[in-house]
Structures are given as structure tokens and as C-alpha cells.
Amino acid sequence: MKVNDLWFSYENKPVFKGLNLEIGEGITCLMGESGIGKTTLLKLIAGLLEPQKGSVDSKPEKISFMFQEDRLLPWLNVRENILLVSERRKEMEQLLEELEIDGSLKISELSGGMARRVALIRCLLFDSKMLLMDEPFKGMDGKLVEKAASIIRRQNKPALISTHSLDEVKALSAKVITL
């Protein structure tokens, strides 16, 4: 996938002026200061924002996006939230077990890190050709980051992940793009 001469501003505040990137197979992590444009770039790639100039070429038709916010429906339990995007029940149960989540819990009963793991499972089970993930390990301790990173690696899909942590990059065995 290629980002070609990408320009984007919020009102009069430029975020990208002629950004060019090539994102290959495997896992790539976006790094940079807060506010530099990591989330904006993910949204531009996903088609949730339109560039003022430039293009994103050769992107897959189906992309799974894990937002910074968990975006879970509070009136559904964990399993019901995941089943909204996938009927792959066996894989769901395996991931719930691996990431230490009780699928019958209500969303209101989850800690921040638990909700993040549910959002991660939902992202992974959506039938897509690429993963876009915005700070997927927020609220997870080192042991859970290792488990989650291992699960992401075994998806064998191109992934673009924003992070501030070199430990997360290492756990993912990822390439790095610094914005």
C-alpha cells in the first residue's frame, strides 16, 4: 500500500503536507509524538477521512479498524459485542480464553484493559485483509501485551498499528514508521 503526496488539515491546522509512505506486508508500527497525526493517518487509510490532496493506493477492500475508543455496546455482553462482526464462535471462545475474558460479562463489568481486549478480539475476528489498530494495548500489562501481540502476529495479515511503546514494537516484531 502506498500513501502518495498526502495533504490533510483540520480547519487551518496542517497535519500532513505531501506525506509519502510505503507500507508492506507484515506488521508496521506508527510512532511519533502525541498529536503528530497517527490516528489521522489510520482514518485516512480506512477512508473515514478524505485527503485534501494525494491518495492512498493499493489498499485492501476490507479493512478491520480498532479505534482508540473501545466502541463496545453497553447493553450487550462481551460475546454479543463480538458476534456483531463475526459468527466465528470457536475462534472467539479460543481468543476469550487466551486473553482471560469471561464472555458472559456485561460491558459495564469490564475494566478498561478488559474492554480493550474485547475490542481487540472483535477487530481480529472481522473478515478483513488488513488490520488498522490505534493503540491496541492501552490498559494492558506486560504479560497481556505479549499474549495480544502474539495473537496479532499469527493473523498473518498486514497490520498498521499506532503506538508510543518500543516494547510493543518489539513484542509485535514490527517495522517502524516515525511520523
Side-chain angles (χ1 to χ4, degrees):
M1 178 174 55
K2 287 186 177 183
V3 174
N4 296 305
D5 192 31
L6 195 71
W7 291 70
F8 186 82
S9 298
Y10 288 106
E11 297 184 17
N12 290 329
K13 185 177 187 281
V15 180
F16 299 117
K17 292 180 176 181
L19 179 68
N20 291 292
L21 294 175
E22 193 162 335
I23 300 156
E25 294 295 314
I27 301 172
T28 303
C29 286
L30 289 174
M31 297 192 78
E33 300 172 19
S34 291
I36 200 77
K38 297 179 298 294
T39 298
T40 299
L41 181 58
L42 292 174
K43 288 179 179 179
L44 285 160
I45 290 170
L48 300 174
L49 294 174
E50 288 292 323
Q52 277 98 26
K53 182 180 168 194
S55 62
V56 178
D57 298 328
S58 303
K59 70 179 177 182
E61 193 172 302
K62 288 183 84 176
I63 294 174
S64 185
F65 198 126
M66 183 178 178
F67 294 89
Q68 250 182 42
E69 313 82 25
D70 300 319
R71 298 190 180 197
L72 302 173
L73 301 178
W75 56 89
L76 300 177
N77 71 24
V78 167
R79 278 188 187 89
E80 291 166 336
N81 265 276
I82 296 167
L83 291 171
L84 287 171
V85 302
S86 174
E87 289 293 323
R88 294 161 43 195
R89 292 174 187 271
K90 184 177 177 185
E91 292 168 80
M92 175 184 68
E93 293 301 333
Q94 179 186 345
L95 291 173
L96 286 169
E97 184 177 325
E98 281 185 79
L99 291 173
E100 303 171 21
I101 300 287
D102 177 347
S104 65
L105 290 174
K106 294 178 182 177
I107 298 307
S108 62
E109 297 174 307
L110 302 178
S111 69
M114 292 168 78
R116 202 73 188 133
R117 286 177 270 160
V118 174
L120 173 64
I121 293 169
R122 190 178 54 191
C123 176
L124 296 175
L125 290 181
F126 180 72
D127 183 28
S128 68
K129 300 291 183 197
M130 181 180 198
L131 303 171
L132 298 178
M133 304 175 132
D134 200 353
E135 298 186 31
F137 305 114
K138 189 171 50 178
M140 293 186 211
D141 65 24
K143 179 183 134 199
L144 284 169
V145 168
E146 288 291 334
K147 280 184 183 183
S150 171
I151 292 166
I152 293 167
R153 285 194 318 266
R154 76 174 186 236
Q155 299 304 301
N156 205 24
K157 294 180 184 180
L160 186 59
I161 300 171
S162 75
T163 182
H164 292 277
S165 168
L166 288 173
D167 289 336
E168 293 172 4
V169 172
K170 184 178 174 185
L172 289 161
S173 302
K175 301 172 279 267
V176 174
I177 292 175
T178 303
L179 295 179

